[in-house]
Amino acid sequence: MSATLAADEALARRRRAGEEVLSLASGEIGLPVLTVLRERLAEASGRNAYGPVAGSRELRAAAAGYWARRGLDTDPDLVVSGPGSKPLLFALLPAVGGDVVMPVPSWVSYAAQARLAGRRPIAVPTLPGQGGVPDPEALRARVAQARAEGLDPRCVVVTLPDNPTGTIADPATVQRLGEAARELDLIIISDEIYCDLVFDPADRAVSPAVFAPERTVVTTGLTKNLALGGWRTGVARLPDGPAGREVRGRLLAIASQIWSSTAAPVQAAAAYALTEPPEVVEWVATARRLHGTVVRAVADRFTAAGAVLAPVRATCYLYPDFEPLRDHLGAAHGVHDGDALAALLARRHGVGLLPGSAFGESRRPLRVRAATSRLYGETDAERTEALSAEDPLRLPWIRRSLDRVAEVLDDLTR
Amino acid sequence: MSATLAADEALARRRRAGEEVLSLASGEIGLPVLTVLRERLAEASGRNAYGPVAGSRELRAAAAGYWARRGLDTDPDLVVSGPGSKPLLFALLPAVGGDVVMPVPSWVSYAAQARLAGRRPIAVPTLPGQGGVPDPEALRARVAQARAEGLDPRCVVVTLPDNPTGTIADPATVQRLGEAARELDLIIISDEIYCDLVFDPADRAVSPAVFAPERTVVTTGLTKNLALGGWRTGVARLPDGPAGREVRGRLLAIASQIWSSTAAPVQAAAAYALTEPPEVVEWVATARRLHGTVVRAVADRFTAAGAVLAPVRATCYLYPDFEPLRDHLGAAHGVHDGDALAALLARRHGVGLLPGSAFGESRRPLRVRAATSRLYGETDAERTEALSAEDPLRLPWIRRSLDRVAEVLDDLTR
């Protein structure tokens, strides 16, 4: 079971049982749907045809425009829609074939999807402060070793910006990844679902599609930037050229056998969103500011408690490491690994977060991932207020969560 | 690529190029969305949380009620929702494990899904006039043989009522299937998506869940009875008891890694539909009458032309066999197999239908499947008129399609 979805359901059960919980496990974005998107969905409620497996022309053209505005010229015929970027990522594995290289730590589902598709996950560490992209040198060595061992690595999955660390691989690293992938003949699957959630305007996640256009598949969706996880909609951009067209053909065949098409009314609303009219752009900017403010405030609490973490530059995740507190955690709480740390926080304090092992790490490191996107309020009214607040940290319900984080960490580390 | 979806897209391209086409390939139901369901979707447009992987409580309770009204008492905790019954059928294969027995002919996606999931499809013939359920005696022999050959059959997929033949296996056959499955220790996956489209009120598709409740998974959706294919929503009913709970756990784990959950606004509308308020029941009854009238009228044209087929008792499919015309088709058209017959009809007449080989048969038989659910009109106005017409066969656009079928068959067989 997906670790995030399972943690989320466990927290919901505790909450229903009347317990106080602090939900830092799931990256679901707790913000209301932008009104104009609700209207577009309602207007499209009469659409009940399957339509093309790849998605409507309207949606594919909108996605092509979205990518073009980010420097990636895109042929709409090379866009494939799916009910979320998750099923697209899953279907890409058999479409590309072979075993799957991925960074560690990385999103909970990459390795699970690889195993489900009968592929072997091959883990490669990332560079310090640059999560989501395997260290290109380590990648070369690991792929050579894997091939010598009889494995068949044919693609590498990267996350730009990164979940779980909230960091961004440097463009130079991404360029070196592209070169390594070309040398090793790997397809790059670049999960860019957080690309609109980079906080500093001077900062940017540069896609490997810039450096290795002939071999990079890009996926994204509306789950993170527009808080539409529950609508289930994503898009993939296949590389131009013979290799890309071949992967596209196989991806469509697989999609046609697993999900047929994306819910038609959702496609219509997604197409509108991807054209990025001003109100959509403004909403995303507002949400991005909120994410940045809250995730950094939570990161500060962890730093103050003695954990170490790389500065959070995007997403709504932080990935603190309690290594400096190892002796204390062992002596005071009998906690010697990340799993025990997460379990203690859940049991003792009702705080749900995920241990590093959920992201492919060994149990030993005292690392956990906290997601802050559920702290904006319990009701649509609170969440709307959080979006429009000049200083969301002063809203009583957000302040309370921050205080709770500080309290819990104080209890843990004192 | 799914044969139906591919044929559908090919026909759409020909139509856009200005050619006259007659679309008998895809089983998409060409009828407008019931207004109250459009309203429910619009009302739920603010729902953007993932919710439980299994589906909302509301949806699972509604599905349990739907099955209870059909004689299958159902624990809502044993219901799992998905974005269509197709992804549920796909995910059930690794959830059950092993190789997959299926009837021949059967729906285009069963064998393709099995291969995609790394399972081997094992074909078993059906009894004459009783499509969708393997002949229980032949099943016993084939499974024994498969096991002797080193295959590992662990489930059998059945379709009740049947696609492609529009027939229904007799309850006695279904009972014998249940007994055979118990002896052979096979899980039965019963695809009952057409269960509300049985024409004669005295007739009924009896689920294997009646005879083998401990080992039968039932799937259905709103694609066929409510024409909501493009909304992508389906439900599975897992068997009670340890085996069923184990399959459920694995199914949820797989679902969480492939699709997370079904689009939340769609879940809300589906939950409403599955409670079967009077207007939904009435709409389904009206659509069922229309399907029965049109599919039987088309079947009459095929019979008149000299093809043989079992009486169509459900669905909107017919599966005529041109064997009596083999000599003529060979001499006059160089047509010696089902593929050539379908290709000739497409090329010469713009008639899209599928050869028996798409349903797992060999190419040799001169059998094709015709789907009649796209004949109700090109616009919502025409389709609404078809639904309310006392005699839909007198509507000019339906009459024209029927005449076209007769003309084409006349040209083919004269």
Side-chain angles (χ1 to χ4, degrees), chain B residues 123 223 340 377 380:
Chain B
T223 294
D380 273 3

Side-chain angles (χ1 to χ4, degrees), chain A residues 116-147:
Chain A
L116 192 53
R119 318 280 155 185
R120 284 160 296 191
I122 300 168
V124 176
T126 59
L127 292 165
Q130 299 190 52
V133 171
D135 169 359
E137 286 319 304
L139 175 72
R140 279 189 180 84
R142 185 70 189 87
V143 166
Q145 182 200 359
R147 286 179 175 158

Side-chain angles (χ1 to χ4, degrees), chain A residues 2 9 28 31 38 45 47-50 53 86-87 109 112-113 223 227 230-232 256-260 263-264, chain B residues 2 9 28 31 38 45 47-50 53 86-87 109 112-113 223 227 230-232 256-261 264:
Chain A
S2 153
E9 293 190 22
E28 180 171 293
L31 289 172
R38 295 190 54 164
S45 62
R47 299 201 189 181
N48 61 341
Y50 294 106
V53 174
K86 185 186 264 188
S109 286
Q113 287 191 334
T223 293
W231 281 23
R232 311 308 304 125
S256 81
Q257 301 296 1
I258 302 184
W259 65 75
S260 299
Chain B
S2 152
E9 294 190 22
E28 181 172 293
L31 288 173
R38 294 189 55 164
S45 62
R47 301 202 188 182
N48 60 342
Y50 294 106
V53 174
K86 186 186 264 188
S109 286
Q113 287 192 333
T223 294
W231 281 22
R232 312 308 304 127
S256 81
Q257 300 296 1
I258 303 183
W259 66 77
S260 299
S261 57

Side-chain angles (χ1 to χ4, degrees), chain A residues 356-379:
Chain A
S357 63
F359 302 89
E361 299 224 69
S362 77
R363 289 174 58 154
R364 192 176 185 282
L366 289 162
R367 290 193 275 273
V368 291
R369 191 203 69 171
T372 57
S373 54
R374 298 287 287 273
L375 302 183
Y376 307 138
E378 288 303 313
T379 62

Side-chain angles (χ1 to χ4, degrees), chain A residues 1-3 5 8-9 16 26-33 37-39 41-54 57 83 86-88 90 94 107-110 112-113 116-117 223-224 226-232 252-266 380 383, chain B residues 1-3 5 8-9 16 26-33 37-39 41-54 57 83 86-88 90 94 107-110 112-113 116-117 223-224 226-232 252-266 380 383:
Chain A
M1 175 73 132
S2 153
L5 296 170
D8 216 27
E9 293 190 22
R16 278 198 301 273
S26 152
E28 180 171 293
I29 309 290
L31 289 172
V33 183
L37 297 180
R38 295 190 54 164
E39 290 165 1
L41 185 78
E43 281 166 23
S45 62
R47 299 201 189 181
N48 61 341
Y50 294 106
V53 174
R57 284 163 173 268
K86 185 186 264 188
L88 287 166
F90 175 73
W107 180 47
V108 301
S109 286
Y110 299 140
Q113 287 191 334
L116 192 53
T223 293
K224 303 300 176 181
L226 284 159
L228 293 175
W231 281 23
R232 311 308 304 125
L252 285 177
I254 294 164
S256 81
Q257 301 296 1
I258 302 184
W259 65 75
S260 299
S261 57
T262 307
V266 171
D380 272 3
R383 292 166 164 189
Chain B
M1 175 74 134
S2 152
L5 295 170
D8 216 26
E9 294 190 22
R16 278 198 301 274
S26 152
E28 181 172 293
I29 308 290
L31 288 173
V33 183
L37 298 180
R38 294 189 55 164
E39 290 165 0
L41 185 78
E43 282 165 22
S45 62
R47 301 202 188 182
N48 60 342
Y50 294 106
V53 174
R57 285 164 172 268
K86 186 186 264 188
L88 287 166
F90 174 74
W107 181 47
V108 300
S109 286
Y110 299 140
Q113 287 192 333
L116 192 53
T223 294
K224 303 301 175 180
L226 284 158
L228 293 175
W231 281 22
R232 312 308 304 127
L252 285 178
I254 294 163
S256 81
Q257 300 296 1
I258 303 183
W259 66 77
S260 299
S261 57
T262 307
V266 171
D380 273 3
R383 291 165 165 190

Side-chain angles (χ1 to χ4, degrees), chain A residues 190-241:
Chain A
S190 186
D191 175 355
E192 302 182 6
I193 194 136
Y194 300 99
C195 75
D196 293 337
L197 302 185
V198 176
F199 304 139
D200 184 339
D203 223 354
R204 211 184 134 208
V206 178
S207 174
V210 170
F211 304 112
E214 81 290 357
R215 62 183 60 251
T216 301
V217 182
V218 180
T219 65
T220 190
L222 306 182
T223 293
K224 303 300 176 181
N225 52 355
L226 284 159
L228 293 175
W231 281 23
R232 311 308 304 125
T233 177
V235 278
R237 175 189 183 273
L238 280 298
D240 209 345

